[in-house]
Amino acid sequence: PRPPLEDPGGAPPPQTPDEGERTVVERLRDRLDRLRLAEDAEAPPPVRASGGAPPSWLRGRPCPLDQSRCVQRLHMCDTELLAPFELLPPQLAVMERSLRACERRQVALLESPTGTGKSVALLTATLAWQRRTFAAQGAAPQILYGVRTHAQLAQMVAELQKTPYRPRMAVIGSREHLCVNEAVRAAARRQRVSLDLGCRQAARRAVRLGLHGPPQGQSGPEAECACQAYARLGSPPHAERVFERCGREGLLWDVEDLLGLSGTGGGAGCPYYTAHVLAGGADLVFCPHNYVLDPAVSQCRTHHRARWSLEGRVVVVDEAHNLEQGCRDAGSLRATLAELRSLSAALAALPTRHPHLRACPRGRCLPCR
């Protein structure tokens, strides 16, 4: 079991009996959940979720609306649509097919010429349907909106800002774009390992050393490469800052806003893990294609994506003409000779480090030696 990490500065907050057994990610998730519940208690009570709502659906109320951005209001497929401008025939067609697919839980393959406002049409249709479902059942599926590149994540947030809809949202991406620990990046380059592996190793070191601030009385490469930003995830100041900027209902934000929090005050936590925790309770999640296409990512059940799943979600894949290349990338492996040698050395050391390890080829249990 991982040793507990104390919160930085002052007396620790009131703890549940099992608080000491929780990871910093679980602490952040619990604190954000409590802040959301406190915010919801101040608003009118939502419709009680009906018994027919799938367990994977989000419980809540319809998202707020910015009526000042509504230019056209229309009804389609028993759903009220609020558009930021006069809709063109291609947009109306995309919306109608999207609403029909959501209502029937089917797959829609849509194509529209460049410059016809597909993204706004998709966002408007899916959010309007989700809002109607929240109002009718008190629960609705989360919307996962996949884009091709990380650069398009900010563009999609800008498109969302044009619409009247203000859902609780999240933007998730890779460590390459969200890691703020230059020491961990440098260590990964020196060791010639991926940043994903270097990040996980630095997080484990931080937990093992119990770091929640500058290392005191600890030196050496292990302490230097321990990620303090990860260790601070569970601190109350970090949770409060994240909720005020990215977690409140009706707030829209992008990756730059989340990265900006990492430089605010002394208790800022890791943006990468924070984004994934926020995604667990968001109505709308923007993500790169590989979070939908790559089984190594979409089916991964790590501690920071405990609520991540494709089941029972509305999945929108924008720029779908890139899916073929994305599937090839997901099914391909690139390994350097240095990585293969490192793997061979690690496998050769397994019997020494784990003498009780057994291999089971074709049902036969053999000692690993």
Side-chain angles (χ1 to χ4, degrees), residues 190-277:
R190 287 196 307 270
Q191 299 171 11
R192 296 183 179 181
V193 298
S194 67
L195 182 58
D196 289 347
L197 178 59
C199 170
R200 289 192 291 267
Q201 292 174 342
R204 284 195 291 268
R205 292 190 191 102
V207 173
R208 185 163 57 247
L209 296 174
L211 293 178
H212 48 75
Q216 298 179 358
Q218 297 172 350
S219 59
E222 185 175 33
E224 293 174 0
C225 293
C227 185
Q228 300 170 30
Y230 176 84
R232 289 194 292 259
L233 280 172
S235 69
H238 176 66
E240 292 168 3
R241 279 196 292 266
V242 169
F243 182 75
E244 289 297 327
R245 183 61 192 90
C246 305
R248 283 195 176 276
E249 190 177 49
L251 290 178
L252 302 183
W253 54 275
D254 59 18
V255 171
E256 295 301 323
D257 296 317
L258 191 61
L259 291 173
L261 289 175
S262 65
T264 305
C270 171
Y272 172 79
Y273 287 99
T274 299
H276 284 75
V277 172

Side-chain angles (χ1 to χ4, degrees), residues 252-323:
L252 302 183
W253 54 275
D254 59 18
V255 171
E256 295 301 323
D257 296 317
L258 191 61
L259 291 173
L261 289 175
S262 65
T264 305
C270 171
Y272 172 79
Y273 287 99
T274 299
H276 284 75
V277 172
L278 286 169
D283 300 333
L284 172 65
V285 179
F286 293 113
C287 60
H289 279 172
N290 63 321
Y291 279 84
V292 177
L293 298 177
D294 191 347
V297 180
S298 63
Q299 298 179 14
C300 180
R301 293 295 179 270
T302 57
H303 68 294
H304 61 283
R305 288 214 299 270
R307 299 176 183 174
W308 172 267
S309 175
L310 299 183
E311 183 180 357
R313 266 67 171 177
V314 174
V315 180
V316 180
V317 180
D318 206 351
E319 302 284 340
H321 57 274
N322 296 286
L323 288 185

Side-chain angles (χ1 to χ4, degrees), residues 72-107:
Q72 183 179 6
R73 188 187 302 260
L74 69 156
H75 284 78
M76 184 183 295
C77 300
D78 298 325
T79 303
E80 183 183 43
L81 299 169
L82 281 68
F85 40 71
E86 294 291 333
L87 296 172
L88 301 173
Q91 292 172 316
L92 292 172
V94 168
M95 288 180 173
E96 192 269 336
R97 302 304 193 280
S98 301
L99 288 171
R100 188 184 301 174
C102 290
E103 190 65 30
R104 299 178 181 178
R105 303 186 185 184
Q106 294 178 338
V107 177

